[in-house]
Amino acid sequence: MNATGEALFRLSQGNVMRLKVDQLRQVVRHANSPKLSLRAVARLSGVSPNTVRALRDHLSSIGEDWESLRTLDDSAFEARLNYGQETSGRRRSIPNLAQVHDELRKRDITLSLLWEEFRNDDPESASYTQFTRQYRTWLKKQKISMRQIHKPGDKLFVDFCGRTIPIIDRETGEETKAHVFVGALGASGYLCATAVANQTVANWLHCHVIALENLGGVPRYVVPDNLKAAVLKNGRDSIQLNSAYQEFAEHYGFGILPARPRKPKDKSLAEIGVQIVQRWVLARLRSHKFFALDELNQQISYWMTQLNERITRTYPKSRLARFQELDVPALKSLPNDRYAFSLWRYQVRVESDYHIEHQGHRYSLPYQYTSLLVDIRATSENLIVSYRRRQIASHQLVIGPGITTLPEHQPAQHKHYQDCQPEALLAWAESIGPATLTYARRNLEERKDFANGMKAVIALRRDTRNEQLHERVESACAYALKLKILGYERLRSILRNGTDQHPEIPPQAPAMEHENLRGAAYYSVQAGDIA
């Protein structure tokens, strides 16, 4: 690392260490892209450009990048970065910003030139990054408006229309409201729109999928408003994005650049796009009756095509022509796989019995995480639980009430107790064979002394496992049942002596009947005569 980079690192390291780990991840992800400037990464991540510069230099010095860090859990992520202690630096002097602004009004004068001149007069003055940040902060306070210039393929502005469209149920006549999502590309002004049933996270992401597939590519940034499906918190010093939206952005490879609260100019193109769609498309549909979302979306698609192909007096080229000329070559390719929606729940407290509840069903976690806060991600098939971004449990998703407990999640004493319950004993006996199952069931269900019956089955299972008697148990149980034996001591004797394997003695044949054979009746008559 050169001397300048090292100084910047020492100056901004304290800011890096005070970042939340999720925000630090975003800085690393965006800083890893060589196409993004320091200021661009700073805006995307809600940190200072100095912090971004220091982190980029530090990643380079330790040989790490986003690909090597993205799969780590929070603790390993922080440890791999291996920051030292915060050091302080003296505050650098800056020029009179009003004079800087006046100088910039002159032809061919740039901030870079003014900084170099100021630096020549005071070599210990503010760096170029500090100089430009201070000037832009001052400029925002002057209420001076500046027209935004958007680069091709750079930004997609997204928002929902304020106006809704009624959908009528054919059978009941009940009316629901469809919400219309609008996306507008910054460079060409190309518009896309789709209707959904509500503004949930799932539908918000579904609208993005439709929009990106309509564009046939991915912009560098998406600029949403601060609805909860996108942004959980947009504070002065940090931005907390919805994790599902953040995961979606990582899948498609774009940056999320939320509009600042109460700053309508940040999302002016989205508001203009919404206004155009409402006036040019939705207004034309005001007298139509729609009975399904698909019907509404077919009409919206038709009129959006007309709108994008329309040539106005303001623009000699249509939005579609400008889109194909400017944005299409600059858009990134879509990923091979469509995003699979995940339903996220954050900071869920693990219950005292090391289970969590999701949609009426309860799932176990490793008992060490009892009472901690975890994040839940539910897909169409699985439920995945993470602690500080490290996966700690995975279950097959179950619809409906009930409980799923994995043995490896239980402490030893709980595992032993559950293993000795009647259901577990019968399941083991069934795995051996029908005679063993019958022996176990009769001990557990027919004996008046239930405790001794359960002990008999537990003892049988224990000895079977310890002495590897699996091949002998079924035959011995069948022999014991034949003799109506339920106690384990006698069954144990059969197992030891192999009684069930001895050949049976055939029963004696009945005596033959013959006229010379005298029976008991004959002798009883003879005795009577003598008397």
Side-chain angles (χ1 to χ4, degrees):
M1 186 186 300
N2 58 36
T4 303
E6 186 175 1
L8 286 171
F9 177 73
R10 287 200 301 267
L11 178 65
S12 59
Q13 182 179 335
N15 293 334
V16 174
M17 290 305 293
R18 283 194 292 269
L19 296 179
K20 291 182 178 179
V21 66
D22 285 339
Q23 189 178 17
L24 188 56
R25 283 180 180 273
Q26 291 308 305
V27 178
V28 173
R29 181 168 79 93
H30 295 305
N32 193 63
S33 173
K35 297 181 180 179
L36 296 180
S37 66
L38 294 176
R39 290 190 293 276
V41 176
R43 283 203 66 194
L44 285 170
S45 308
V47 299
S48 72
N50 272 2
T51 298
V52 178
R53 182 193 296 272
L55 193 53
R56 265 184 173 169
D57 291 343
H58 184 62
L59 288 171
S60 177
S61 69
I62 64 176
E64 299 286 358
D65 57 18
W66 171 242
E67 292 303 322
S68 65
L69 296 172
R70 64 185 300 177
T71 58
L72 299 178
D73 60 57
D74 288 351
S75 300
F77 184 87
E78 293 172 343
R80 187 75 67 85
L81 287 180
N82 192 26
Y83 283 110
Q85 296 298 319
E86 177 181 353
T87 59
S88 59
R90 71 178 185 85
R91 188 175 183 84
R92 309 296 182 88
S93 62
I94 58 173
N96 186 313
L97 297 174
Q99 292 180 1
V100 171
H101 184 65
D102 290 337
E103 287 294 317
L104 284 173
R105 294 175 183 270
K106 300 176 183 179
R107 185 175 181 178
D108 297 331
I109 301 300
T110 64
L111 275 174
S112 178
L113 175 61
L114 294 176
W115 173 75
E116 289 178 6
E117 293 176 350
F118 182 68
R119 187 83 170 197
N120 289 334
D121 295 336
D122 183 3
E124 297 298 325
S125 62
S127 67
Y128 178 73
T129 302
Q130 292 172 317
F131 178 88
T132 55
R133 185 176 70 250
Q134 292 286 347
Y135 170 73
R136 289 189 172 89
T137 301
W138 175 87
L139 189 60
K140 290 175 183 178
K141 298 179 180 179
Q142 310 310 307
K143 305 292 185 183
I144 298 174
S145 179
M146 180 181 68
R147 182 177 179 83
Q148 297 186 45
I149 306 298
H150 300 290
K151 298 178 182 179
D154 193 47
K155 293 177 182 176
L156 175 67
F157 296 83
V158 295
D159 202 358
F160 278 106
C161 290
R163 179 176 176 179
T164 57
I165 301 294
I167 303 292
I168 303 170
D169 189 301
R170 289 184 182 274
E171 297 182 357
T172 64
E174 182 182 356
E175 187 177 287
T176 57
K177 301 294 184 181
H179 298 254
V180 180
F181 171 92
V182 175
L185 279 172
S188 63
Y190 184 83
L191 297 169
C192 51
T194 188
V196 289
N198 49 49
Q199 297 186 22
T200 60
V201 176
N203 280 330
W204 171 253
L205 299 183
H206 171 73
C207 290
H208 279 66
V209 171
I210 299 300
L212 295 177
E213 292 178 352
N214 181 282
L215 299 178
V218 181
R220 293 175 67 187
Y221 310 108
V222 172
V223 183
D225 200 357
N226 287 277
L227 73 166
K228 290 299 182 184
V231 182
L232 300 179
K233 181 181 178 181
N234 193 345
R236 180 178 179 181
D237 301 320
S238 64
I239 298 173
Q240 184 181 359
L241 299 174
N242 187 302
S243 292
Y245 195 30
Q246 188 169 301
E247 181 186 57
F248 180 90
E250 291 179 7
H251 179 81
Y252 282 94
F254 63 80
I256 302 172
L257 194 60
R260 293 170 297 172
R262 297 174 295 280
K263 297 290 183 180
K265 293 179 183 178
D266 284 7
K267 53 175 181 174
S268 58
L269 201 57
E271 293 187 342
I272 292 171
V274 164
Q275 187 180 72
I276 293 173
V277 170
Q278 289 187 159
R279 292 179 178 179
W280 215 87
V281 178
L282 302 188
R284 297 174 186 270
L285 305 177
R286 65 189 184 279
S287 300
H288 289 242
K289 289 186 177 181
F290 297 100
F291 299 96
L293 272 175
D294 290 342
E295 296 178 12
L296 173 58
N297 278 318
Q298 287 178 3
Q299 288 295 315
I300 290 177
S301 177
Y302 171 80
W303 286 110
M304 289 300 297
T305 301
Q306 303 301 312
L307 174 60
N308 284 315
E309 294 178 351
R310 182 169 174 257
I311 297 176
T312 65
R313 287 173 294 179
T314 307
Y315 294 101
K317 289 185 179 180
S318 67
R319 285 183 171 83
L320 178 60
R322 298 199 303 272
F323 167 67
Q324 293 173 340
E325 179 183 339
L326 299 174
D327 286 314
V328 169
L331 292 173
K332 295 183 292 185
S333 300
L334 289 167
N336 295 329
D337 300 324
R338 207 181 201 194
Y339 174 75
F341 172 70
S342 300
L343 177 62
W344 283 86
R345 291 173 59 202
Y346 319 105
Q347 301 297 284
V348 178
R349 182 80 63 183
V350 182
E351 300 172 9
S352 59
D353 62 351
Y354 51 88
H355 284 70
I356 55 171
E357 182 273 334
H358 180 74
Q359 295 182 346
H361 196 88
R362 301 177 70 245
Y363 302 87
S364 66
L365 302 180
Y367 70 93
Q368 297 91 339
Y369 295 90
T370 299
S371 301
L372 296 181
L373 295 173
V374 297
D375 296 330
I376 301 174
R377 176 189 172 204
T379 66
S380 59
E381 298 180 352
N382 298 309
L383 184 91
I384 301 166
V385 185
S386 301
Y387 176 71
R388 300 193 72 196
R389 281 185 175 259
R390 182 169 63 87
Q391 180 177 320
I392 60 174
S394 177
H395 293 274
Q396 185 174 357
L397 192 67
V398 179
I399 305 301
I403 183 168
T404 299
T405 303
L406 299 183
E408 58 266 27
H409 293 166
Q410 298 177 297
Q413 62 272 26
H414 291 191
K415 191 182 302 183
H416 175 73
Y417 174 79
Q418 188 171 5
D419 203 33
C420 293
Q421 294 303 297
E423 295 80 4
L425 295 172
L426 290 174
W428 169 81
E430 186 177 13
S431 70
I432 300 297
T436 309
L437 176 62
T438 302
Y439 176 83
R441 182 174 285 119
R442 290 189 62 185
N443 269 282
L444 295 173
E445 297 177 0
E446 296 181 10
R447 292 183 62 166
K448 294 181 180 180
D449 52 341
F450 172 79
N452 285 327
M454 189 163 69
K455 284 185 176 181
V457 182
I458 292 173
L460 174 62
R461 184 183 64 181
R462 181 194 63 228
D463 290 347
T464 301
R465 291 174 175 175
N466 293 343
E467 301 178 23
Q468 298 297 310
L469 300 174
H470 299 81
E471 297 180 358
R472 291 275 294 105
V473 170
E474 181 69 9
S475 173
C477 285
Y479 186 76
L481 291 172
K482 184 177 180 181
L483 300 179
K484 297 182 180 181
I485 295 172
L486 293 183
Y488 180 63
E489 288 300 325
R490 295 185 65 186
L491 177 60
R492 176 65 176 162
S493 177
I494 293 172
L495 286 168
R496 286 177 177 174
N497 300 327
T499 310
D500 57 305
Q501 297 179 332
H502 295 168
E504 295 185 1
I505 300 174
Q508 295 181 352
M512 296 178 58
E513 292 186 5
H514 192 271
E515 58 183 3
N516 295 326
L517 296 177
R518 299 184 178 92
Y522 172 81
Y523 289 103
S524 63
V525 171
Q526 293 297 325
D529 293 342
I530 295 173

